Amino acid sequence: MQFGIFTVGDITPDPTTGRTPTEHERLQAMVTIALKAEEVGLDVFATGEHHNVPFVPSSPTTMLGWIAARTEKLLLSTATTLITTNDPVKIAEDYAMLQHLSGGRVDLMMGRGNTGPVYPWFGKDIRAGIPLAIENYALLRRLWRKDTVDWSGKFRTPLQSFTSTPRPLDGVPPFVWHGSIRSPEIAEQAAFYGDGFFANNTLWPTSHTQRMVGLYRERFAHYGHGDPDRAIVGLGGQVFMRKNSQDAVNEFRPYFDNAPVYGHGPSLEEFTRDTPLTVGSPQQVIDRTLGFRDYAGDYQRQLFNLDHAGLPLKTVLEQLDLLGEEVVPVLRKEFASLKPAHVPDAPTHESLKEAAATATST
């Protein structure tokens, strides 16, 4: 099982000091956080893609390429690659390039994002969000798997005898997760192709996530990819920890109350009761995260969001120390002991290359 962190790259004032980091400071902080993730033994760093304030990660491949050059083992991913407003040709070429430069340490998560205005900025219609996601991804898959592509669709100009370059490393495209909070059509899309499904359940009750993951598993089996428990599932989570749980609550409360996503709404106590947000001791995070298996089944990737709501970099790095030293080692051991032998591990470039070689030989 893979453990890691994801960032949405928000620039939010620190409610305890009133200070707002600059874009430069925030971008440099995200890099520092990624390097720290490898240092403390995490597996994955994932960045979102946004093209609107108050977010800064508009070019994930640029950031991930820089991080790749400064790390050795960390798997580089996206928390969202906007399949709706990016050209599939550009996605195919950019991420194949990153795949080569990182030595295969890259996968990506397709998503539609949660910012409506981005569609007209890139010449798209938000009312076509689902059809765009379906058509663009179908083209992307073909570009990665066929050396020469002829294509005609509804949302872009045709392609004639086109070859995207560079070709995927070792002839194996990056693994794709389809990320969704609320759209069953995306769970269906992931199941149809036998790709991974990432349920970013950070803002929703467990009952909703359970239905979405259950639908994906059911349709994964329907399309002949294997039993439902062989489907590849990832989950999101949000945590804030201190050695003493009440210290964590007291320190995090002003950040929660003023956060642009969930501030000025339900109380911290209501939110931690009804969603996966966990604020407390490392043991509470361990217990809560192990409980995700009760409604999502055996899954392959767990990503935590730590650097949101204006939390200062020093605090985020302290959170990473707790995650790497006290939480993830226990989670690795416990999840491994619970996982049946037939449930697959999280895909990597090497495992995908081996599977492709086996398929070719048979």
Side-chain angles (χ1 to χ4, degrees):
M1 187 165 173
Q2 295 171 343
F3 295 93
I5 56 173
F6 73 96
T7 179
V8 296
D10 60 307
I11 295 181
T12 302
D14 184 331
T16 67
T17 66
R19 187 180 185 280
T20 303
T22 65
E23 290 180 327
H24 178 74
E25 288 171 334
R26 186 67 171 101
L27 287 167
Q28 292 298 325
M30 291 166 68
V31 173
T32 299
I33 289 165
L35 301 182
K36 183 71 171 181
E38 177 165 274
E39 177 189 320
V40 301
L42 301 186
D43 304 306
V44 184
F45 173 80
T47 176
E49 178 188 346
H50 295 276
H51 301 275
N52 58 292
V53 295
F55 303 98
V56 289
S58 59
S59 181
T61 51
T62 303
M63 171 173 283
L64 295 178
W66 177 238
I67 294 170
R70 303 178 65 185
T71 54
E72 296 180 357
K73 298 180 180 180
L74 195 64
L75 184 59
L76 309 166
S77 188
T78 57
T80 304
T81 295
L82 296 177
I83 189 63
T84 45
T85 50
N86 281 309
D87 184 356
V89 173
K90 197 71 170 74
I91 295 177
E93 296 188 335
D94 282 354
Y95 285 92
M97 176 76 78
L98 179 60
Q99 193 188 30
H100 281 273
L101 295 176
S102 67
R105 292 185 291 129
V106 60
D107 59 29
L108 61 165
M109 189 189 307
M110 299 298 171
R112 293 180 294 129
N114 59 4
T115 307
V118 72
Y119 283 82
W121 295 342
F122 289 88
K124 306 299 181 183
D125 186 340
I126 192 173
R127 293 170 294 185
I130 293 292
L132 274 164
I134 293 170
E135 181 177 298
N136 283 353
Y137 183 61
L139 173 56
L140 175 61
R141 282 183 63 89
R142 188 176 298 186
L143 290 165
W144 272 338
R145 288 165 173 79
K146 301 291 184 181
D147 289 339
T148 304
V149 172
D150 295 304
W151 172 267
S152 179
K154 180 178 179 182
F155 296 109
R156 76 171 321 279
T157 54
L159 298 172
Q160 294 182 341
S161 300
F162 178 78
T163 300
S164 68
T165 58
R167 305 303 299 141
L169 178 64
D170 299 318
V172 179
F175 185 74
V176 168
W177 304 80
H178 298 261
S180 180
I181 297 174
R182 61 187 177 275
S183 302
E185 296 92 339
I186 302 304
E188 178 80 15
Q189 183 184 37
F192 177 78
Y193 290 110
D195 293 338
F197 179 65
F198 190 89
N200 194 0
N201 56 332
T202 53
L203 301 176
W204 288 74
T206 56
S207 58
H208 173 80
T209 302
Q210 182 176 26
R211 289 194 297 272
M212 289 287 285
V213 173
L215 171 64
Y216 161 67
R217 291 188 182 279
E218 175 187 333
R219 301 301 288 172
F220 181 94
H222 169 80
Y223 288 116
H225 301 300
D227 294 337
D229 56 356
R230 292 180 180 271
I232 307 298
V233 174
L235 297 179
Q238 293 177 315
V239 297
F240 186 85
M241 296 172 285
R242 289 302 183 199
K243 296 288 187 179
N244 179 282
S245 60
Q246 193 56 51
D247 290 342
V249 171
N250 293 338
E251 183 176 349
F252 187 66
R253 189 180 298 279
Y255 294 96
F256 175 90
D257 288 345
N258 293 280
V261 175
Y262 42 54
H264 311 288
S267 68
L268 175 59
E269 286 73 18
E270 291 171 314
F271 216 87
T272 52
R273 181 193 66 206
D274 296 334
T275 80
L277 173 65
T278 306
V279 180
S281 67
Q283 187 60 52
Q284 286 175 296
V285 172
I286 291 168
D287 294 341
R288 190 78 179 279
T289 305
L290 288 172
F292 293 172
R293 183 176 177 271
D294 295 340
Y295 60 87
D298 292 290
Y299 63 110
Q300 285 76 13
R301 175 176 285 187
Q302 175 65 56
L303 300 183
F304 297 101
N305 185 219
L306 303 176
D307 67 330
H308 54 110
L311 287 165
L313 177 60
K314 178 178 180 293
T315 300
V316 176
L317 298 180
E318 291 167 351
Q319 296 294 300
L320 277 164
D321 279 329
L322 289 169
L323 196 64
E325 294 170 6
E326 299 192 30
V327 174
V328 167
V330 178
L331 290 177
R332 286 194 197 281
K333 180 180 179 180
E334 293 296 323
F335 275 118
S337 69
L338 294 168
K339 190 187 81 166
H342 69 279
V343 173
D345 293 332
T348 64
H349 180 74
E350 291 305 315
S351 70
L352 294 172
K353 186 168 68 171
E354 183 179 338
T358 300
T360 300
S361 64
T362 57

